[in-house]
Amino acid sequence: MKLSEMRASTQGKIKNLGKDDRFLKRITSVGLTEGAEFQVIKNDKRMPVLVYARETLLALNRKDCEKIEVEVGA
């Protein structure tokens, strides 16, 4: 499942971040790495996805969320 498909108030774990080096550097710099647990706070259409991970609230754009594969309910 993609991060962009998750509903608000659900928890998960990051399975795969893809192979784009530029994207990997940017997303890992904010603390999202493979195996990291998170909770989706808000996921409204056409808005950034709000994610709580590693004691930080992050706003991720929808394009980036399409690249992140997750495991629900981790």
Side-chain angles (χ1 to χ4, degrees):
M1 170 180 268
K2 303 290 183 187
L3 178 57
S4 59
E5 299 169 347
M6 291 186 70
R7 293 182 180 210
S9 301
T10 56
Q11 296 182 343
K13 183 187 282 189
I14 296 177
K15 263 177 40 177
N16 188 357
L17 293 172
K19 297 183 185 338
D20 180 5
D21 286 337
R22 185 173 182 223
F23 171 72
L24 281 173
K25 287 178 185 175
R26 192 163 40 87
I27 206 73
T28 57
S29 72
V30 295
L32 291 182
T33 57
E34 290 182 13
E37 295 182 0
F38 64 91
Q39 180 177 2
V40 176
I41 303 299
K42 194 170 186 179
N43 187 1
D44 293 336
K45 300 264 184 204
R46 300 183 191 154
M47 298 294 289
V49 179
L50 295 180
V51 174
Y52 185 75
R54 300 186 192 257
E55 299 183 25
T56 304
L57 185 62
L58 303 167
L60 304 171
N61 72 44
R62 299 197 78 72
K63 273 188 172 180
D64 287 347
C65 292
E66 287 291 323
K67 298 176 185 178
I68 301 172
E69 289 184 36
V70 298
E71 179 181 321
V72 179

